[in-house]
């Protein structure tokens, strides 16, 4: 099967996440990077494209020029990865969506609620697919937990606890990745809530199948002079009556990427940690804890779809990203062939992106009202 011709917006030489996307797209050999508008300046874009070995005539000064020309080429890109700071996501995606080019976009969806609503309309009016790279949804044991909850293994959900602490912004930082994430003009209204809180919110909803109805948030900017939150404590009320707590922090020394989820139901509980991703703890009520490992005894079909190597060999961050790219590839090829994708194909999309933006917006509004309860989407 021919590889999907992929373009990239952003992700140049001095970018972190662009390289991650490129590696992820190659792991299962489903894509070939053939074009790019890789930086905010033509000079940097050209240097980055040359370093990646792209043809000179497929390195573009900006994403609009790229979208127009690639749509006209017989061998133009079929999909584009958008890996820019948040405020560029919508404008770039719109140019490709309206020309029928599939979009694979980094999270969060965009930087403002106004753009998020326009984004939804742009996706709905396009024939192209839209994929949002909430990569943790691609981890095998996350899929295992989702499958078990859907099957009723822990019964009706009562309590959801999710946290994502880091420490890399505990002091003022001036390098590129910190600069745009702490700048409201580029990141949006949320700091830690937008950067990692959206991951925690998405993970909790993806695994449980529940939607957050309302929340009460207490956000802080502990580092002097910082304009966006670097820590947030959020109480959650889910549709259907379940309750939850979410903590996101980028000023918690000793934590690197400590995303952790715990879900408790009438009949048992589940625990998963991103830093030990190949293990899922399952505790039936009144029984000892059981350890389920990736590709090990007790792991089901949903986890197996996301696994590549034998049990006992770690799979994690890059493979999780690759699973999102491969799920997207299945959907793109199905669209190319005029058929429905396999029923098991699952990836975050525009609805997940909008809910993430509503989460950030609600957190900011609640915190400004002294942690008053607010409804998502109000």
């Amino acid at each position: 099967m021919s590889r999907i011709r992929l373009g990239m917006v952003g992700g140049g030489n001095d970018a972190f996440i662009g390289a991650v996307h490129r590696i992820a797209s190659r792991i299962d050999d489903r894509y070939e990077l053939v074009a790019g508008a890789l930086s905010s300046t033509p000079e940097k874009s050209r240097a980055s494209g040359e370093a990646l070995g792209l043809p000179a005539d497929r390195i573009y000064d900006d994403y609009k020029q790229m979208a127009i020309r690639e749509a006209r080429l017989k061998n133009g890109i079929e999909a584009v990865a958008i890996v820019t700071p948040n405020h560029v996501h919508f404008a770039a995606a719109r140019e490709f969506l309206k020309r029928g080019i599939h979009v694979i976009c980094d999270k969060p969806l965009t930087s403002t609620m106004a753009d998020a609503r326009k984004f939804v309309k742009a996706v709905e009016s396009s024939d192209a697919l839209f994929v949002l790279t909430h990569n943790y949804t691609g981890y095998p044991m996350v899929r295992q937990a989702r499958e078990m909850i859907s099957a009723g293994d822990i019964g009706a959900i009562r309590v959801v606890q999710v946290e994502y602490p880091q420490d890399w912004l505990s002091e003022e930082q001036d390098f590129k990745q910190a600069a745009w994430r702490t700048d409201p003009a580029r990141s949006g209204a949320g700091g830690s809530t937008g950067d990692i809180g959206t991951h925690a919110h998405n993970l909790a909803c993806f695994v449980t199948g529940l939607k957050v109805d309302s929340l009460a948030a207490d956000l802080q900017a502990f580092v002097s002079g910082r304009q966006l939150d670097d820590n947030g404590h959020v109480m959650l009320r889910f549709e259907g009556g379940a309750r939850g707590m979410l903590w996101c922090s980028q000023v918690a020394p000793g934590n690197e990427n400590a995303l952790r989820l715990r879900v408790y139901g009438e009949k048992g509980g589940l625990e998963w940690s991103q830093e030990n991703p190949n293990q899922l703890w399952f505790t039936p009520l009144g029984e000892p804890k059981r350890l389920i490992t990736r590709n090990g005894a007790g792991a089901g079909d949903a986890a197996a779809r996301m696994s590549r190597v034998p049990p006992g060999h770690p799979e994690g961050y890059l493979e999780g990203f690759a699973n999102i790219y491969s799920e997207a590839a299945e959907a793109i090829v199905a669209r190319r062939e005029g058929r429905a994708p396999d029923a098991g194909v699952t990836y975050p999309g525009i609805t997940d992106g909008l809910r993430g933006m509503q989460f950030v917006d609600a957190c900011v509004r609640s915190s400004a009202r002294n942690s008053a309860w607010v409804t998502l989407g109000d």
Side-chain angles (χ1 to χ4, degrees):
M1 185 178 296
S2 62
R3 297 182 184 92
I4 295 165
R5 298 184 299 277
L6 180 68
M8 181 167 282
V9 176
N13 287 339
D14 57 349
F16 158 69
I17 204 66
V20 171
H21 281 256
R22 289 190 290 272
I23 293 168
S25 72
R26 294 197 302 267
I27 283 179
D28 293 320
D29 203 25
R30 303 298 299 273
Y31 299 84
E32 180 181 5
L33 184 68
V34 298
L38 299 162
S39 189
S40 57
T41 69
E43 297 77 17
K44 289 182 179 179
S45 182
R46 189 148 301 279
S48 296
E50 291 171 353
L52 291 171
L54 295 178
D57 63 342
R58 306 289 288 276
I59 304 170
Y60 297 93
D61 292 348
D62 60 70
Y63 58 76
K64 186 171 184 178
Q65 178 191 76
M66 174 179 165
I68 292 170
R69 183 168 185 269
E70 288 293 321
R72 294 172 178 168
L73 291 176
K74 184 178 180 180
N75 66 337
I77 61 171
E78 297 171 87
V80 63
I82 297 176
V83 295
T84 65
N86 305 344
H87 70 296
V88 181
H89 289 180
F90 168 60
R94 178 175 55 187
E95 294 297 329
F96 294 93
L97 287 169
K98 68 184 182 182
R99 293 174 172 86
I101 297 169
H102 307 299
V103 172
I104 302 170
C105 185
D106 206 18
K107 48 58 59 188
L109 185 63
T110 184
S111 59
T112 69
M113 278 304 303
D115 277 354
R117 296 185 186 100
K118 295 175 186 175
F119 217 139
V120 172
K121 292 180 180 179
V123 172
E124 290 175 346
S125 63
S126 174
D127 292 330
L129 299 171
F130 178 79
V131 179
L132 193 69
T133 55
H134 272 297
N135 59 301
Y136 300 114
T137 66
Y139 280 50
M141 301 318 288
V142 166
R143 297 293 179 98
Q144 174 73 23
R146 175 185 166 98
E147 184 178 52
M148 292 175 68
I149 288 173
S150 178
D153 288 358
I154 67 169
I157 296 172
R158 292 173 170 171
V159 177
V160 181
Q161 294 188 322
V162 62
E163 62 185 50
Y164 197 161
Q166 300 174 329
D167 64 5
W168 72 291
L169 291 178
S170 292
E171 298 177 323
E172 189 60 47
Q173 303 285 353
D174 61 1
F175 61 94
K176 181 178 180 179
Q177 301 306 319
W180 76 257
R181 282 176 170 82
T182 55
D183 177 8
R186 291 178 285 175
S187 182
S192 65
T193 47
D195 193 26
I196 56 176
T198 49
H199 270 311
H201 166 262
N202 176 263
L203 180 68
C205 296
F206 179 81
V207 169
T208 64
L210 301 176
K211 294 181 180 179
V212 176
D213 175 70
S214 56
L215 58 79
D218 182 22
L219 309 184
Q220 301 81 37
F222 280 116
V223 174
S224 178
R226 184 163 288 164
Q227 299 180 69
L228 296 175
D229 64 88
D230 50 29
N231 186 85
H233 296 89
V234 189
M235 301 287 289
L236 306 171
R237 292 174 179 166
F238 292 89
E239 293 179 358
R243 295 295 189 263
M245 294 187 294
L246 183 153
W247 172 45
C248 57
S249 182
Q250 293 174 312
V251 292
N255 290 281
E256 294 174 343
N257 281 281
L259 176 60
R260 182 183 181 190
L261 175 68
R262 290 168 287 174
V263 184
Y264 304 104
E266 293 175 331
K267 300 193 301 182
L270 291 168
E271 300 179 42
W272 179 80
S273 169
Q274 192 278 145
E275 293 186 334
N276 197 9
N278 294 293
Q279 297 183 349
L280 177 69
W281 287 99
F282 170 42
T283 309
L285 181 63
E287 299 182 23
K289 294 177 71 170
R290 302 174 184 175
L291 178 62
I292 304 173
T293 59
R294 185 195 55 76
N295 264 349
D301 292 340
R305 283 191 72 250
M306 299 290 102
S307 298
R308 294 173 181 78
V309 297
H313 296 81
E315 283 189 275
Y317 183 73
L318 291 173
E319 292 87 353
F321 253 109
N323 284 334
I324 301 300
Y325 267 88
S326 291
E327 295 281 74
E330 291 290 337
I332 291 169
V333 170
R335 182 68 62 88
R336 181 199 283 171
E337 297 176 350
R339 60 175 175 81
D342 182 84
V345 172
T346 302
Y347 54 81
I350 191 63
T351 300
D352 303 276
L354 178 62
R355 293 294 292 182
M357 291 297 298
Q358 290 172 333
F359 165 77
V360 175
D361 175 70
C363 285
V364 172
R365 288 188 289 115
S366 170
S367 191
R369 297 186 207 169
N370 197 28
S371 304
W373 283 94
V374 300
T375 301
L376 270 69
D378 278 0

